[in-house]
Amino acid sequence: MTEHLPILIVLAPLLGAVFAALTSWFWPRVSFPIVLAGLAISCISSLLLVFEVPASGVIHYQLGGWGKQKEYADMVVGIQISVDYLNGLILAAVTTIALLTAIYSRPTVERELEGQQRYFYALFSLLVAGLLGITITGDIFNLYVFMEIAALSSYALLAYGKKRATMASFNYLIMGTMGACLYLLGVGFVFVKAGTLNIENLSQIIPDSLFSSQAAFVGFVLIIVGAWSKMAFFPMHGWLTNAYTYAPTASGALLAPLATKVSVYAMLRIMITVYSIDYIIQSPNIQTIAILLSTIAILVGSFYSLTQTNLRKIACFFIVSEIGYMVGGAWLANAPGLKGAIYHVVADAAMTSAIFMVIGCIIYRLGQADLKKLDGLYYRMPVTFIALVITMAALIGVPPTCGFFSKFYLIQGAAQAGTWHFVIALLISSLIKAIILFRIIEIAYNKVPNPAKDGNETIPREEAPLTMLIPTALVALGLIALGLATDTLVTDFIAKALPAGLTS
Amino acid sequence: MEEIVPKFNYIVVVILMMTGLWSMLAQSNLIKKCIGMAIFQTGIILFFISIGAKNNASIPIVAKEPLGQVLGQAHAPEGSQPPAKPELAAAKAKVYPDPPDVNKLTNPLTQILMLTAIVVGVATLGVGLALAQKVYQQHNSFDEDEILENQTK
């Protein structure tokens, strides 16, 4: 049974989506439990596998038994899926966050999508299956297919929102399809030169014989640009803020942390495994451009977040700047930079999930999340407020939380590479997040006189329902736990995920 | 002319893709954007099919008899082979120490891949048109600028 765990991670949510869609016709009440069961199976199998990786090495699984063919020099013929040090962690993060978000989303879906929630959970599960497929697959064309599965379900999930959501989702569709098509074209270039689509085989063929090939270089650039437009990297970030702001709470809470991070993973996989770090070091022009663009992304995201008053929009601009962290860290192409980038994929998935969950709780009770109307939030929803403060502390990078450690590695990497503009951008973005945190505290805590004292108006405590509050609190506490577990994570997983040449 | 003829398929592909990309990004009409998307995807499909095609090659079914005799040359698909590069030959020699008679067979993999890509393309176009229709119901217009104006009102 355990040898089939890798495929179960993807299959459980995929089948969950199918059955949820079918049962929604005649027995709509069971579609949510079916999806929940699928996600739980997926979560358990990924957690089991992650801890198996350091014990028994990289796990490969051949779909349909079409594995390595000895007569063709160990070429993998079929589709191979694999769990290694890089994607094991991300699988665990994606499945856990998806499960918690599913539990969390129930009350908001019932309220916001009353009467039209029939296919919501089927799409939810399909999206998770797509994201997990991107993460686990060992085949670059298969990655494209899963990318489109995830993208198609996310267009639908985002379009569930009110008025402006439809147009925002359409813009996302155009940008997303463009990105996916560029990726596919790049895969074509790689296939022409290397003759295989398997990542394991490509990682041997490309460094051996295709380093000076121009077609392979064009393929690389196309794939990277495709991944960039999927992850809303600056200058292609325009679709993200509107799409996630106007989406239903549940869609936003699922998509914002996972969809962009998984695209970052796809880029990391192409950079580290398929083309190897030496390839990036030997093409310094594109490296300089990437780091410069990520610097601009960090600054643009941070400064725009200052101009907004809608908390969700602020969080969306945070995503734009966080993407800059990860892309910049990856393109530094040295050990601390890559460690920071990989660690930040996991950490940022948790942080974004936490902030969107908190905002969802606020919207559930107050009906909106306008920064200026949050007065008395501390007295009204104390747990939510504390979770918000922890999340913002993590985003700023306050020591016990995970945000501190990723920034630590990123700054170390940037200093080693001598790209000081990237360091400055990181610090400025921290500073701006601190400003926003203090604005929130100012409004939510100080603006209203303490209701406990005599003579002041009392404010009733009205937290969000427990099914929303508990996942929110868990993810917020998870931020601190991740930070405390940094040492284990980095030495046991992330350091081993780095290519062999980089060990310092 | 000698430059153009062997690369004719790639030129067509590039023209198609650029038309599609321009229509996707520069047109303000939502339906035209969808059409551009379809053209762009068609260009990529054509690219993949043309890299898999070979002159005078037959369908890729391995038989004991030589394929040309079994099927006749009538089944040979048209198309030109991408120019062979030395590093490609080196890579091929490395990974296929004992190659089967691949010059007589078209590459089946690109066609399979494109079968999947066509399905993905149709699905994307469907979702795109559905969203465009929903936008039209809200704003009574397909024009991006008018919709933006409507939204900010």
Side-chain angles (χ1 to χ4, degrees), chain A residues 319-402:
Chain A
I319 300 177
V320 173
S321 74
E322 303 282 330
I323 293 291
Y325 288 22
M326 286 175 271
V327 177
W331 282 88
L332 290 172
N334 55 24
L338 275 171
K339 271 184 204 169
I342 298 169
Y343 183 76
H344 201 66
V345 172
V346 178
D348 192 44
M351 291 192 289
T352 320
S353 172
I355 196 161
F356 271 82
M357 281 186 177
V358 167
I359 295 170
C361 287
I362 296 172
I363 291 176
Y364 189 82
R365 274 296 170 228
L366 307 184
Q368 38 73 27
D370 197 329
L371 195 55
K372 286 177 181 149
K373 292 176 191 153
L374 292 183
D375 39 327
L377 184 75
Y378 171 70
Y379 303 108
R380 207 183 284 250
M381 308 168 78
V383 180
T384 313
F385 178 73
I386 291 166
L388 179 61
V389 171
I390 293 175
T391 315
M392 286 301 297
L395 282 162
I396 295 164
V398 178
T401 58
C402 53

Side-chain angles (χ1 to χ4, degrees), chain A residues 48-277:
Chain A
L48 284 175
L49 275 179
V50 168
F51 293 110
E52 209 172 289
V53 169
S56 59
V58 179
I59 299 159
H60 294 296
Y61 181 86
Q62 320 289 355
L63 285 186
W66 287 96
K68 286 184 175 172
Q69 304 291 305
K70 279 275 176 273
E71 56 265 46
Y72 298 126
D74 278 345
M75 293 288 280
V76 179
V77 172
I79 293 169
Q80 174 178 271
I81 63 177
S82 48
V83 182
D84 61 8
Y85 296 103
L86 176 56
N87 64 7
L89 270 187
I90 296 167
L91 280 176
V94 170
T95 47
T96 315
I97 290 174
L99 183 62
L100 286 175
T101 313
I103 299 167
Y104 166 92
S105 65
R106 191 72 177 139
T108 72
V109 169
E110 269 172 1
R111 179 183 285 189
E112 285 176 25
L113 304 176
E114 210 183 348
Q116 46 168 340
Q117 48 170 296
R118 173 174 275 174
Y119 297 117
F120 185 87
Y121 279 105
L123 287 167
F124 189 103
S125 197
L126 192 63
L127 172 69
V128 177
L131 295 173
L132 291 172
I134 297 174
T135 318
I136 204 170
T137 188
D139 182 288
I140 51 175
F141 184 79
N142 201 233
L143 200 154
Y144 162 78
V145 175
F146 277 121
M147 206 184 241
E148 284 300 70
I149 291 177
L152 283 171
S153 36
S154 67
Y155 306 143
L157 281 176
L158 292 173
Y160 263 109
K162 300 259 151 47
K163 291 248 160 179
R164 294 180 80 160
T166 327
M167 192 58 205
S169 177
F170 186 85
N171 284 334
Y172 176 28
L173 183 132
I174 294 292
M175 277 315 279
T177 310
M178 195 192 80
C181 285
L182 291 178
Y183 177 89
L184 182 60
L185 195 62
V187 168
F189 276 82
V190 174
F191 178 67
V192 168
K193 297 308 280 185
T196 178
L197 295 165
N198 182 271
I199 288 176
E200 201 189 338
N201 291 147
L202 281 174
S203 69
Q204 291 151 5
I205 293 170
I206 291 179
D208 278 0
S209 50
L210 293 177
F211 252 34
S212 52
S213 155
Q214 239 168 357
F217 180 72
V218 173
F220 179 67
V221 172
L222 286 171
I223 289 178
I224 293 296
V225 173
W228 279 354
S229 48
K230 276 272 176 198
M231 73 177 79
F233 186 52
F234 180 83
M236 283 88 89
H237 65 281
W239 58 265
L240 183 134
T241 46
N242 275 348
Y244 289 176
T245 306
Y246 300 115
T249 310
S251 312
L254 179 69
L255 272 160
L258 300 183
T260 47
K261 268 53 162 199
V262 168
S263 308
V264 174
Y265 160 77
M267 182 196 74
L268 279 169
R269 180 57 91 192
I270 298 290
M271 282 170 65
I272 301 179
T273 316
V274 177
Y275 274 83
S276 83
I277 281 299

Side-chain angles (χ1 to χ4, degrees), chain B residues 56-136:
Chain B
N56 292 330
S58 180
I59 53 169
I61 297 171
V62 179
K64 281 183 182 160
E65 306 285 316
L67 267 176
Q69 291 172 20
V70 179
L71 299 163
Q73 293 298 318
H75 288 276
E78 299 285 325
S80 62
Q81 195 179 354
K85 295 263 168 64
E87 63 259 47
L88 173 66
K92 282 258 170 76
K94 194 169 165 25
V95 292
Y96 302 110
D98 180 27
D101 193 9
V102 286
N103 290 326
K104 294 252 169 69
L105 309 170
T106 53
N107 192 335
L109 193 60
T110 55
Q111 301 180 11
I112 307 279
L113 298 185
M114 284 311 103
L115 214 55
T116 318
I118 288 168
V119 175
V120 170
V122 169
T124 319
L125 188 63
V127 175
L129 289 173
L131 284 178
Q133 190 196 23
K134 210 177 158 194
V135 171
Y136 187 82

